[in-house]
Amino acid sequence: MSNGGGVLSSTNHLLDFLEEPIPGVGTYDDFHTIDWVREKCKDRERHRKINAKKKESAWEFTKSLYDAWSGWLVVTLTGLASGALAGLIDISADWLNDIKEGVCLNAMWFNHEQCCWGSNETTFAERDKCPQWKSWAGLILGQEEGPGSYIMNYFMYIYWALSFALLAVLLVKVFAPYACGSGIPEIKTILSGFIIRGYLGKWTLLIKTVTLVLAVASGLSLGKEGPLVHVACCCGNIFSYLFPKYSKNEAKKREVLSAASAAGVSVAFGAPIGGVLFSLEEVSYYFPLKTLWRSFFAALVAAFVLRSINPFGNSRLVLFYVEYHTPWYLFELIPFILLGVFGGLWGSTRFGKYPVLEVIFVAAITAVVAFPNPYTRQNTSELIKELFTDCGPLESSQLCQYRSQMNGSKAFVDASPNKSAGPGVYTAMWQLCLALVFKIIMTIFTFGLKVPAGLFIPSMAIGAIAGRIVGIAVEQLAYYHHDWLVFREWCEVGTDCITPGLYAMVGAAACLGGVTRMTVSLVVIVFELTGGLEYIVPLMAAVMTSKWVGDAFGREGIYESHIRLNGYPFLDAKSEFTHTTLAREVMRPQRSDPPLAVLTQDDLTVEELQVIINETSYNGFPVIVSKESQRLVGFTLRRDITIAIENARRKQEGILLTSRVYFTQHAPTLPADSPRPLKLRSILDMSPFTVTDHTPMEIVVDIFRKLGLRQCLVTHNGRLLGIITKKDILRHMAQLTNQDPDNIMFN
Amino acid sequence: MSNGGGVLSSTNHLLDFLEEPIPGVGTYDDFHTIDWVREKCKDRERHRKINAKKKESAWEFTKSLYDAWSGWLVVTLTGLASGALAGLIDISADWLNDIKEGVCLNAMWFNHEQCCWGSNETTFAERDKCPQWKSWAGLILGQEEGPGSYIMNYFMYIYWALSFALLAVLLVKVFAPYACGSGIPEIKTILSGFIIRGYLGKWTLLIKTVTLVLAVASGLSLGKEGPLVHVACCCGNIFSYLFPKYSKNEAKKREVLSAASAAGVSVAFGAPIGGVLFSLEEVSYYFPLKTLWRSFFAALVAAFVLRSINPFGNSRLVLFYVEYHTPWYLFELIPFILLGVFGGLWGSTRFGKYPVLEVIFVAAITAVVAFPNPYTRQNTSELIKELFTDCGPLESSQLCQYRSQMNGSKAFVDASPNKSAGPGVYTAMWQLCLALVFKIIMTIFTFGLKVPAGLFIPSMAIGAIAGRIVGIAVEQLAYYHHDWLVFREWCEVGTDCITPGLYAMVGAAACLGGVTRMTVSLVVIVFELTGGLEYIVPLMAAVMTSKWVGDAFGREGIYESHIRLNGYPFLDAKSEFTHTTLAREVMRPQRSDPPLAVLTQDDLTVEELQVIINETSYNGFPVIVSKESQRLVGFTLRRDITIAIENARRKQEGILLTSRVYFTQHAPTLPADSPRPLKLRSILDMSPFTVTDHTPMEIVVDIFRKLGLRQCLVTHNGRLLGIITKKDILRHMAQLTNQDPDNIMFN
């Protein structure tokens, strides 16, 4: 194929300095897909170099040790930073949230609870009323009670909520547009091998942290759990710059990001194992076992840092610890499955997408409507906690005001079977129904706003409210109709057989499952959140129902639909390719297209090459032996060719536009007067992936997914026919499902 | 390439019945590797057929529903059966174990504990001494005490142990040789795509269940946990025969087996999440997310069935529940890491391989030595439980006889800081040291015996003994030298700062980690076993140390080394390929080999084809356009060719030895008098995987691992050069690590 040219053979040696890496070759443009195979090869090469050198000197040995440990170091740092930031966010948001209602006179920087800790005159029940804490009405009008102060407090509440929301949206708009939303869809896309520069940078981190606090404190119907994953990934990305092993290799960097996302969920829910499973099931694309182990470590470190900071003053590892006293009965599966259906419907809701100014309206409406209803005014996490909790003798919640308690026998409320709902429960039911409608509407509008916003906690709240309502309804049904067959069978008279808190837990899991379509990781997260290992069957039934219902209505989870709306090139590993098309139907060129742009291995000039590059917009070109044989030699990238030619014309003398370009080992035989040829073998990928034109697309899709390819060449009986890129596959898949293939925007 | 022959074009249509599937094509021989890609394509094809038909009639729709649900059904059945069998094994082994010491007079089928439940004259402390339970000496000699009855009991103990062991080994030898060992290495190999017929069959299941009970009851130093994974996988395999979706597809069957192995670990340790992670981390090869979810379900079902059976009469979900009263201190990391080193050393021990008769000697020695020492005579699980337990005021164990207890203030032993060891502790220390030596030696010899034998529990016991010894040593050190810097810093005088039980737990995890090299799944299993979420850092430190030490000494876990010893073709997904070899250095033929055996697409006769098949032993042959061009058309398997020719000669008239064989779409132009040609296109794989000769082997290995290939063709500039099979890769890897490449025995 290539023959050492007699004239030039002496200069071949001189040209070998070109085998030195050309700066810039092997990097990626913004909004491009990485080549996993190449990245992994680069990393192994680096590893081999370090290994070969390490016996040379003590310094090299130390360097190799540092290199070997840098993986653990970077996940440790990420875990520490994620835990610390999560603690900071929790504390600040809590404080800022209380600012809406009043201020601590002793110390401005105390929140309501901390303010009243010092006060020893208050009883357990009234521990949040203490003289140090002044509501705004108390501070401004000098009186805590009465309609005037209620209106004053209401006004201040709206004022602060609006200020926080406006500040958040402006900060995002001006400084870091990437800081809005939950960030999980983008992180999924990045982990699948896409480049979005700045998405995980320090500015995004800073602004996201600050605005997350503001957004949460503004009382908007959003959660901080999703954005915490983004924050953790920013930490992982920033720390990876300390280690060349990770900063210079996009594939390795994604291992750190996988670990970081595990740490993010770990701090969001206090669920380290759930975090690892979330990273594995939901966000990660390439997840080697080494990453599993490091993710676990990062998740643990983060959880322990957060627990040491102890932002809520209770040293529980479990966020919503529940302890129910009654088992569940088989007939309860019906309401649980209904809750699953509700969760699935919630999961197939379409969320809005709104520009900046809408935030003021949404924040204003949220504040106006939320204030009067205790269940919407309350911090969402606390609401969920209250809804999960079973009514015990010590429970002072309105939800637990059953009739027997009214009759004065307060201490025996739990033992008493007379669980007829008191007026408190009826009030609570109305308020909960209103809160449910409010939360559903506001969450739909809030999620599209340009502020950091997660869906986990609002979804859980919606599910928990619905669940508690259903639970109380079933409980009252069982009380008033204990002669019905189902109840007679299971609920003996005089026993307390329905636990409304369990319904809330099941509903929360169902709604979360409907939105995210998580399964194992969700169940594990709920375990770790609640410590309730006993209720696995109700949880699984509801989560599975919600997933099926969601799939039946919406087909995809919130993250996938967000990815598709943004046109990111994401090849989902979960959805199976079930069509019977062959590679030749997907490859380009099709019959109507211009012929495939190819380079021949040794008879193009620099000028011809530049013409081909300028006239086409392809990201890479196959190199063939000759136009006649169409036998494939390799593949070369547009970016690399441009860089290499520029580099050669700058550094190598005698390279003209008429210089011959060759990709072979030896220069071709040239006429004596021709200018010095340009060797481009170093940028030639001599092991391009090929498939035959008869290969079923399901295999091609599998190869792309599992190996993380950018493109693949198509041959027929050894001749090059065409090329399939990731974008071609995504467009083909969109066409097959009757979607607009032009939605796929990036390569 | 192919031109429709004028003469024969009218018969082409007649030949099309050959496109019907030929019976036998697409199945595998015993001890061969499956082709994952082909299996998955077959399954998608089946799925499409069912989907296309389902709108035809209600019956077809029901069938499609059944098909869609069969995955859940088969894992549910597997979970149920695994749980039930585990319960049965637990109960039987417990009963048979007690038979060695005596018999229940009331009811033969009661074990010691059940026998004494009815007895109400015994106190809590002496609950295992009741008149209904007679030791053998009591039954035969009529006296329970004295040296004569001790010898009698000793003799009976040895007698029963020997009988059980002999019976177990004979049953295995005669009926199911595959029932020996833990089975996990073979299951790993099977899951990676190897066929071992009968390994998961009903005979193996029956014999393994029976002999496992006998082997455990014989008192040999082995565990039932590993074999339970094998039992669960047998259940999975047997149930998969009920569903054609799984029985007819080797790739789909392996999804069921992955779920079954999760169920096995789940019942072995009562650890469903750990079981799923074990399946994911340790045994599975191809683990799609759907399998994750189903594995989780199978693991839960199995755990719940076992808990409902409740074989040990305590309804704890947690097997070795621990509750420690003191935190751990930073300086304790040193002994924990030392325990990790011990675990790593234990993990790099080489275990023996012994023929049948050795079992008698091992069982005899085990029984003779084990009887006098309470720690070796005891059931291993109970020993581990005792070692894990912290000394509380109610603890009557010899290990808790501290000095203060001697002075009569028994109730305050836990509150008292005077934790000077009493004579009981010193006796226990000696006995534990002897038990440690004994367990180590006996486990090394036992694991090679031809009986069902797991290493999990013996390893945990060894680690727990070592840990408890270290723990007591550190505790006494802290007591006698509380003025030392480390102890002065952390252990205030008067407080109890060392928990020997924690050391036992850490030691057990370290030894288990050293043997199996599990990481995340091990830590999660220990969590679920002990409920001790607080001690994650000590556990991780020890497990990681033991893994590193084990890797440094032995390089591979027990399963990998067992796989290698047996020469199974297992391409480990965990070990990275770090060499720089290229595909052309690994492919066959190399320079000294005979040329590659290829078939041309349309100019061979049946006879020539048979000659090629008979003269070579290759499992498949590339098909090329012509000898001159060497352009690749496809690949065809030896087994398929043999079956197709036989089938054609039996069913198709006019096929002679001189018939032309063609793989093209249309028959080649032939002379008018030539016999009818044979079309073999239906057995031609037109999408063989190819790589170029320049492809680095690391990429080739990656492709083989991730796609589950059997072979891959090597081309250079579009021409076929050679072939790389899985066996070639494994031999190449063995050569590179200076091992004997001929160890790899199967294809």
Side-chain angles (χ1 to χ4, degrees):
Chain A
M1 282 112 268
S2 63
N3 35 2
V7 184
L8 281 155
S9 62
S10 59
T11 62
N12 269 341
H13 187 69
L14 284 169
L15 289 170
D16 268 0
F17 75 93
L18 243 184
E19 306 282 340
E20 290 280 298
I22 304 167
V25 163
T27 58
Y28 299 94
D29 283 325
D30 202 3
F31 293 107
H32 271 68
T33 299
I34 68 165
D35 186 333
W36 285 91
V37 178
R38 190 168 71 163
E39 293 297 304
K40 278 186 268 172
C41 281
K42 257 172 59 186
D43 180 62
R44 287 198 202 103
E45 189 56 48
R46 191 197 52 74
H47 187 69
R48 270 192 293 268
K49 268 190 199 153
I50 287 173
N51 257 3
K53 267 192 186 170
K54 81 175 174 195
K55 277 164 198 156
E56 284 177 11
S57 68
W59 171 238
E60 292 292 343
F61 186 74
T62 319
K63 262 166 67 180
S64 82
L65 270 187
Y66 175 72
D67 183 78
W69 278 90
S70 60
W72 287 103
L73 215 57
V74 70
V75 295
T76 312
L77 289 172
T78 307
L80 289 172
S82 314
L85 274 176
L88 185 72
I89 290 171
D90 281 346
I91 292 171
S92 323
D94 220 31
W95 173 71
L96 220 53
N97 196 36
D98 286 349
I99 283 289
K100 285 191 303 189
E101 305 197 347
V103 72
C104 189
L105 290 185
N106 298 14
M108 267 288 291
W109 55 91
F110 276 176
N111 68 16
H112 194 159
E113 200 180 338
Q114 287 160 338
C115 190
C116 295
W117 272 349
S119 160
N120 47 9
E121 38 191 315
T122 52
T123 63
F124 182 77
E126 301 220 308
R127 64 183 159 179
D128 56 346
K129 283 184 185 156
C130 66
Q132 290 90 331
W133 180 260
K134 280 270 180 238
S135 74
W136 290 109
L139 203 71
I140 299 169
L141 306 177
Q143 61 183 67
E144 293 273 356
E145 303 289 328
S149 50
Y150 185 84
I151 291 167
M152 186 72 212
N153 281 334
Y154 200 168
F155 172 78
M156 288 304 288
Y157 184 90
I158 297 169
Y159 167 77
W160 284 115
L162 274 181
S163 314
F164 294 157
L166 196 61
L167 187 56
V169 82
L170 285 179
L171 281 173
V172 167
K173 175 84 178 167
V174 175
F175 293 105
Y178 284 148
C180 72
S182 82
I184 295 179
E186 281 80 9
I187 288 166
K188 265 188 94 155
T189 314
I190 290 174
L191 283 173
S192 84
F194 196 58
I195 305 264
I196 310 180
R197 293 207 193 290
Y199 198 84
L200 301 174
K202 53 185 180 309
W203 271 106
T204 311
L205 174 62
L206 182 69
I207 298 299
K208 187 131 198 173
T209 310
V210 173
T211 54
L212 180 56
V213 170
L214 289 168
V216 170
S218 76
L220 282 167
S221 181
L222 48 82
K224 62 178 170 40
E225 281 65 19
L228 273 181
V229 176
H230 188 178
V231 166
C233 283
C234 289
C235 294
N237 183 49
I238 290 167
F239 284 120
S240 77
Y241 281 103
L242 298 179
F243 305 93
K245 181 175 178 178
Y246 293 99
S247 62
K248 291 195 178 147
N249 193 301
E250 295 292 338
K252 295 297 279 181
K253 193 188 279 174
R254 277 156 182 77
E255 293 180 15
V256 178
L257 296 181
S258 286
S261 63
V265 173
S266 167
V267 290
F269 294 108
I273 300 172
V276 174
L277 287 175
F278 174 83
S279 176
L280 171 69
E281 187 185 351
E282 192 57 38
V283 298
S284 291
Y285 191 83
Y286 166 65
F287 204 91
L289 279 169
K290 218 161 52 180
T291 310
L292 184 71
W293 191 213
R294 289 193 183 149
S295 301
F296 190 54
F297 187 71
L300 284 170
V301 170
F304 272 79
V305 169
L306 182 61
R307 197 151 65 113
S308 314
I309 294 176
N310 195 2
F312 301 116
N314 58 345
S315 65
R316 271 246 119 94
L317 195 62
V318 175
L319 206 60
F320 306 128
Y321 184 79
V322 292
E323 207 172 1
Y324 302 133
H325 306 289
T326 45
W328 61 277
Y329 302 100
L330 215 56
F331 75 87
E332 291 187 287
L333 274 182
I334 299 163
F336 293 152
I337 284 171
L338 283 178
L339 285 173
V341 173
F342 175 77
L345 290 176
W346 168 245
S348 41
T349 316
R350 290 281 144 258
F351 294 95
K353 264 204 144 340
Y354 303 96
V356 178
L357 268 180
E358 256 83 349
V359 79
I360 303 192
F361 298 104
V362 176
I365 294 170
T366 310
V368 170
V369 180
F371 188 83
N373 188 334
Y375 294 108
T376 51
R377 186 165 154 192
Q378 198 173 11
N379 178 320
T380 317
S381 302
E382 274 164 30
L383 170 65
I384 295 174
K385 202 168 181 171
E386 186 177 334
L387 293 170
F388 278 14
T389 309
D390 196 14
C391 288
L394 280 173
E395 212 53 58
S396 61
S397 152
Q398 182 182 229
L399 278 170
C400 295
Q401 287 181 8
Y402 286 89
R403 188 75 67 190
S404 57
Q405 195 172 8
M406 297 288 101
N407 298 341
S409 60
K410 193 168 173 177
F412 296 102
V413 71
D414 193 52
S416 157
N418 292 326
K419 279 248 179 174
S420 155
V425 175
Y426 284 113
T427 320
M429 282 287 269
W430 274 113
Q431 286 174 344
L432 281 179
C433 286
L434 289 174
L436 180 62
V437 174
F438 167 79
K439 283 265 173 199
I440 289 176
I441 295 172
M442 291 329 289
T443 305
I444 290 174
F445 285 99
T446 307
F447 196 63
L449 296 178
K450 294 279 177 211
V451 286
L455 258 184
F456 285 170
I457 287 287
S459 293
M460 283 181 79
I462 288 167
I465 297 173
R468 188 81 188 204
I469 292 171
V470 172
I472 294 175
V474 174
E475 186 197 41
Q476 293 305 310
L477 215 60
Y479 173 72
Y480 285 110
H481 300 278
H482 49 78
D483 49 341
W484 283 9
L485 189 71
V486 276
F487 301 125
R488 207 169 50 206
E489 187 79 18
W490 307 95
C491 303
E492 291 162 55
V493 182
T495 55
D496 174 18
C497 70
I498 308 288
T499 313
L502 173 62
Y503 285 71
M505 187 168 107
V506 169
C511 280
L512 195 49
V515 168
T516 60
R517 308 288 152 82
M518 294 195 283
T519 51
V520 183
S521 44
L522 175 60
V523 175
V524 173
I525 286 174
V526 175
F527 280 170
E528 288 187 90
L529 266 178
T530 59
L533 261 168
E534 313 284 315
Y535 298 97
I536 192 133
V537 178
L539 280 175
M540 284 192 71
V543 169
M544 277 161 62
T545 311
S546 86
K547 185 176 157 63
W548 285 326
V549 170
D551 282 352
F553 279 89
R555 254 332 289 164
E556 33 183 22
I558 181 79
Y559 305 135
E560 282 76 22
S561 76
H562 189 104
I563 287 172
R564 203 168 41 72
L565 280 176
N566 282 296
Y568 294 134
F570 181 73
L571 198 52
D572 194 356
K574 272 184 263 183
S575 66
E576 277 197 27
F577 185 88
T578 52
H579 306 278
T580 49
T581 43
L582 296 181
R584 65 174 164 207
E585 298 164 51
V586 180
M587 72 174 196
R588 283 179 311 170
Q590 288 293 306
R591 232 161 272 165
S592 53
D593 297 340
L596 186 67
V598 292
L599 311 178
T600 45
Q601 65 175 354
D602 58 2
D603 59 5
L604 287 174
T605 62
V606 171
E607 193 175 12
E608 285 166 337
L609 185 56
Q610 283 182 329
V611 167
I612 294 175
I613 288 181
N614 292 336
E615 284 184 350
T616 59
S617 60
Y618 305 126
N619 284 313
F621 303 91
V623 177
I624 55 176
V625 173
S626 64
K627 288 268 183 198
E628 299 74 44
S629 74
Q630 291 283 337
R631 287 192 286 127
L632 181 70
V633 176
F635 191 82
T636 180
L637 292 172
R638 176 200 197 80
R639 185 179 160 92
D640 290 354
I641 298 175
T642 322
I643 294 174
I645 291 180
E646 224 165 77
N647 187 65
R649 297 195 63 175
R650 212 156 8 95
K651 292 202 183 156
Q652 272 178 280
E653 273 177 48
I655 300 293
L656 309 172
L657 280 180
T658 51
S659 288
R660 192 77 81 84
V661 170
Y662 66 103
F663 292 96
T664 48
Q665 181 64 45
H666 303 287
T669 327
L670 296 172
D673 59 341
S674 47
R676 188 170 164 185
L678 174 58
K679 185 176 182 179
L680 290 183
R681 195 178 177 81
S682 66
I683 61 163
L684 178 68
D685 172 12
M686 283 185 295
S687 51
F689 283 86
T690 56
V691 293
T692 66
D693 57 338
H694 273 92
T695 311
M697 273 311 287
E698 52 197 18
I699 294 182
V700 178
V701 171
D702 224 37
I703 298 176
F704 268 78
R705 272 181 195 147
K706 290 205 175 133
L707 302 175
L709 299 190
R710 282 225 297 196
Q711 71 276 319
C712 181
L713 299 167
V714 182
T715 60
H716 174 78
N717 289 5
R719 290 173 199 270
L720 179 67
L721 270 194
I723 187 171
I724 297 177
T725 64
K726 197 168 170 182
K727 195 176 175 179
D728 294 328
I729 291 183
L730 288 164
R731 290 195 159 161
H732 178 66
M733 287 166 82
Q735 254 169 349
L736 288 174
T737 51
N738 294 320
Q739 290 165 348
D740 180 15
D742 293 329
N743 257 343
I744 319 298
M745 294 198 291
F746 305 104
N747 226 322
Chain B
M1 281 113 268
S2 64
N3 36 4
V7 184
L8 281 155
S9 62
S10 59
T11 61
N12 270 341
H13 186 69
L14 284 170
L15 289 171
D16 268 1
F17 74 91
L18 243 183
E19 306 283 338
E20 290 280 298
I22 303 167
V25 164
T27 58
Y28 299 94
D29 284 323
D30 201 3
F31 293 108
H32 271 68
T33 300
I34 68 165
D35 186 333
W36 286 90
V37 178
R38 189 167 71 163
E39 293 296 304
K40 277 185 269 173
C41 282
K42 256 171 60 186
D43 181 62
R44 287 197 202 104
E45 190 54 48
R46 190 197 53 76
H47 187 70
R48 270 192 294 268
K49 266 189 202 156
I50 288 174
N51 257 3
K53 267 191 186 172
K54 81 175 174 195
K55 278 164 198 157
E56 286 176 10
S57 67
W59 170 239
E60 291 293 342
F61 186 73
T62 320
K63 261 166 67 181
S64 83
L65 271 187
Y66 175 72
D67 183 78
W69 277 90
S70 60
W72 288 103
L73 215 56
V74 70
V75 295
T76 311
L77 289 172
T78 306
L80 290 172
S82 313
L85 275 176
L88 185 72
I89 289 171
D90 282 345
I91 291 172
S92 322
D94 219 30
W95 173 69
L96 220 52
N97 196 35
D98 285 350
I99 283 289
K100 285 191 302 190
E101 304 197 349
V103 71
C104 189
L105 291 184
N106 298 15
M108 266 287 293
W109 56 89
F110 276 176
N111 68 17
H112 195 160
E113 200 180 337
Q114 288 160 337
C115 190
C116 295
W117 272 348
S119 161
N120 47 11
E121 38 191 313
T122 52
T123 63
F124 182 77
E126 301 221 308
R127 65 183 158 179
D128 54 347
K129 283 184 188 158
C130 67
Q132 289 89 332
W133 180 261
K134 280 271 180 239
S135 75
W136 290 109
L139 203 71
I140 298 170
L141 305 178
Q143 60 183 65
E144 293 273 357
E145 302 289 327
S149 49
Y150 185 84
I151 290 168
M152 186 71 212
N153 281 335
Y154 200 169
F155 172 78
M156 287 305 286
Y157 184 90
I158 298 169
Y159 166 76
W160 284 114
L162 273 180
S163 315
F164 294 157
L166 195 61
L167 187 56
V169 82
L170 285 178
L171 282 174
V172 167
K173 174 82 178 169
V174 175
F175 293 106
Y178 283 149
C180 72
S182 81
I184 295 180
E186 281 80 9
I187 288 166
K188 264 187 95 155
T189 314
I190 290 173
L191 283 173
S192 84
F194 196 58
I195 305 263
I196 310 180
R197 292 206 194 289
Y199 198 84
L200 301 174
K202 51 185 182 308
W203 272 106
T204 311
L205 174 62
L206 182 68
I207 297 299
K208 187 131 196 173
T209 309
V210 173
T211 54
L212 181 56
V213 170
L214 289 169
V216 169
S218 76
L220 282 167
S221 181
L222 47 81
K224 61 179 171 40
E225 281 65 19
L228 273 180
V229 176
H230 188 178
V231 166
C233 283
C234 289
C235 294
N237 183 50
I238 290 166
F239 283 120
S240 78
Y241 280 103
L242 298 178
F243 305 93
K245 182 176 178 178
Y246 293 98
S247 62
K248 290 196 179 147
N249 193 300
E250 295 292 338
K252 295 297 280 180
K253 193 189 280 176
R254 277 155 182 78
E255 292 181 15
V256 178
L257 296 182
S258 286
S261 62
V265 174
S266 167
V267 288
F269 294 109
I273 301 173
V276 175
L277 287 175
F278 174 83
S279 176
L280 172 69
E281 188 185 351
E282 192 56 39
V283 298
S284 291
Y285 192 84
Y286 166 65
F287 204 91
L289 280 169
K290 218 161 51 181
T291 309
L292 184 72
W293 191 214
R294 289 192 183 149
S295 301
F296 189 54
F297 188 71
L300 284 170
V301 170
F304 273 78
V305 170
L306 183 61
R307 197 150 67 113
S308 314
I309 295 177
N310 195 1
F312 301 117
N314 58 345
S315 66
R316 271 246 119 93
L317 195 63
V318 175
L319 206 60
F320 305 129
Y321 184 78
V322 292
E323 206 171 4
Y324 302 134
H325 305 290
T326 44
W328 61 278
Y329 302 99
L330 215 57
F331 75 87
E332 292 188 286
L333 273 183
I334 299 164
F336 293 151
I337 285 171
L338 283 178
L339 286 172
V341 173
F342 174 77
L345 290 176
W346 168 245
S348 41
T349 316
R350 291 278 144 260
F351 295 95
K353 264 206 145 339
Y354 302 95
V356 177
L357 268 181
E358 255 83 349
V359 78
I360 303 191
F361 297 105
V362 176
I365 294 169
T366 309
V368 169
V369 181
F371 188 82
N373 187 335
Y375 293 108
T376 51
R377 186 164 154 193
Q378 200 173 11
N379 178 319
T380 317
S381 302
E382 274 164 30
L383 169 65
I384 295 174
K385 201 169 183 170
E386 185 177 335
L387 292 170
F388 278 14
T389 309
D390 196 15
C391 287
L394 279 174
E395 211 54 56
S396 61
S397 151
Q398 181 180 231
L399 277 171
C400 294
Q401 287 180 9
Y402 286 89
R403 188 75 67 191
S404 57
Q405 196 172 5
M406 298 288 100
N407 298 342
S409 59
K410 192 169 173 175
F412 296 101
V413 70
D414 194 51
S416 157
N418 293 325
K419 278 250 180 174
S420 155
V425 175
Y426 284 114
T427 319
M429 283 287 269
W430 274 114
Q431 286 174 344
L432 281 179
C433 286
L434 288 175
L436 181 62
V437 173
F438 168 77
K439 284 265 175 199
I440 289 177
I441 295 172
M442 291 329 289
T443 305
I444 290 174
F445 284 99
T446 306
F447 196 62
L449 296 177
K450 294 278 175 214
V451 287
L455 258 184
F456 284 171
I457 286 287
S459 293
M460 285 182 78
I462 288 167
I465 296 173
R468 188 81 188 203
I469 292 172
V470 172
I472 294 177
V474 174
E475 185 196 42
Q476 293 305 311
L477 214 62
Y479 174 72
Y480 285 110
H481 301 278
H482 50 77
D483 50 341
W484 284 9
L485 189 71
V486 275
F487 300 126
R488 208 169 50 205
E489 187 79 18
W490 308 95
C491 302
E492 290 161 55
V493 182
T495 56
D496 174 17
C497 70
I498 308 288
T499 313
L502 173 61
Y503 285 72
M505 187 169 105
V506 169
C511 280
L512 195 48
V515 167
T516 60
R517 309 290 152 82
M518 294 195 284
T519 51
V520 183
S521 44
L522 176 59
V523 174
V524 173
I525 287 174
V526 175
F527 279 169
E528 289 187 89
L529 266 179
T530 60
L533 261 168
E534 313 284 315
Y535 298 96
I536 192 134
V537 177
L539 279 175
M540 283 192 72
V543 169
M544 278 161 60
T545 310
S546 86
K547 186 177 156 63
W548 285 326
V549 171
D551 282 352
F553 279 89
R555 253 335 286 166
E556 34 183 20
I558 181 79
Y559 305 135
E560 282 76 22
S561 76
H562 188 105
I563 287 171
R564 202 167 41 73
L565 279 176
N566 282 295
Y568 294 134
F570 182 74
L571 199 52
D572 194 357
K574 272 184 262 183
S575 64
E576 278 197 25
F577 185 88
T578 52
H579 306 277
T580 50
T581 44
L582 296 180
R584 65 173 163 208
E585 297 164 53
V586 180
M587 72 176 195
R588 285 179 309 170
Q590 289 292 306
R591 232 161 270 166
S592 52
D593 296 340
L596 187 67
V598 293
L599 311 178
T600 45
Q601 66 175 355
D602 57 3
D603 58 5
L604 286 175
T605 63
V606 170
E607 191 174 13
E608 284 166 339
L609 185 57
Q610 283 183 329
V611 168
I612 293 176
I613 287 182
N614 292 335
E615 284 183 352
T616 59
S617 59
Y618 305 125
N619 284 313
F621 303 90
V623 177
I624 56 176
V625 173
S626 65
K627 289 268 181 198
E628 298 74 46
S629 74
Q630 291 283 338
R631 288 191 287 126
L632 181 70
V633 175
F635 191 81
T636 181
L637 291 173
R638 176 200 197 80
R639 185 180 161 91
D640 290 355
I641 298 176
T642 321
I643 294 173
I645 291 180
E646 223 164 77
N647 187 66
R649 296 196 64 176
R650 214 154 8 96
K651 294 201 181 155
Q652 271 178 281
E653 272 178 49
I655 300 292
L656 307 172
L657 279 180
T658 50
S659 288
R660 192 76 80 84
V661 169
Y662 66 102
F663 293 95
T664 49
Q665 181 64 46
H666 302 290
T669 329
L670 294 173
D673 58 340
S674 45
R676 188 172 166 185
L678 174 57
K679 185 175 182 179
L680 290 183
R681 195 177 177 82
S682 65
I683 59 162
L684 178 69
D685 172 12
M686 281 183 296
S687 52
F689 283 86
T690 55
V691 293
T692 66
D693 57 338
H694 273 91
T695 311
M697 273 311 288
E698 52 198 20
I699 294 181
V700 178
V701 171
D702 224 38
I703 298 176
F704 267 79
R705 271 182 197 148
K706 291 204 175 133
L707 301 175
L709 299 189
R710 283 227 295 198
Q711 71 275 319
C712 182
L713 298 167
V714 182
T715 60
H716 175 79
N717 289 5
R719 290 173 199 270
L720 178 66
L721 269 196
I723 187 171
I724 296 178
T725 62
K726 197 168 171 183
K727 194 177 177 181
D728 294 329
I729 291 183
L730 288 165
R731 290 196 160 161
H732 178 66
M733 287 166 84
Q735 253 167 350
L736 288 173
T737 51
N738 293 321
Q739 290 165 347
D740 180 15
D742 293 329
N743 257 344
I744 318 300
M745 293 197 291
F746 306 105
N747 227 322

